[in-house]
Amino acid sequence: MSNGSCMRFNNATQRIFGETIRANVLVWETNDREKPWSAEARLVGNNGNDLLLAVGQASARKKQEAKDMAAQFGFEWLRAEYPSVNLSNI
């Protein structure tokens, strides 16, 4: 996965919800030695503070990997929940 996962999750969110809902991926360090980084893809209100729904979670050895995985899961969730929206060129 690449950093493009976050961009794809963001672009898909914009296509589906316009300016009313934003994509956000949070990442934090954990005490897990095997996978010390966790991330969560979220849909938030347009002010960026109001959590509406967590749509993807991941843990990994590297920070960016956890973030990319969570964003990819968020993107896949959007594709499954909104099949009528064309997200193929994102």
Side-chain angles (χ1 to χ4, degrees), residues 1-56:
M1 266 179 248
S2 69
N3 195 17
S5 297
C6 291
M7 184 179 291
R8 190 169 34 251
F9 176 50
N10 183 52
N11 290 345
T13 301
Q14 286 180 347
R15 181 166 293 173
I16 293 167
F17 301 110
E19 297 297 319
T20 60
I21 295 176
R22 292 183 16 197
N24 188 5
V25 179
L26 296 179
V27 63
W28 61 91
E29 197 167 8
T30 70
N31 291 327
D32 185 338
R33 294 182 101 131
E34 291 295 315
K35 294 181 178 178
W37 292 99
S38 286
E40 185 173 77
R42 297 175 168 192
L43 298 177
V44 298
N46 64 0
N47 66 2
N49 296 325
D50 300 327
L51 172 63
L52 302 176
L53 186 63
V55 294

Side-chain angles (χ1 to χ4, degrees), residues 40-76:
E40 185 173 77
R42 297 175 168 192
L43 298 177
V44 298
N46 64 0
N47 66 2
N49 296 325
D50 300 327
L51 172 63
L52 302 176
L53 186 63
V55 294
Q57 298 173 337
S59 296
R61 293 189 62 83
K62 296 184 178 182
K63 182 179 183 179
Q64 190 62 49
E65 183 181 8
K67 190 173 181 178
D68 289 342
M69 288 171 59
Q72 181 63 33
F73 294 147
F75 175 75
E76 295 300 330

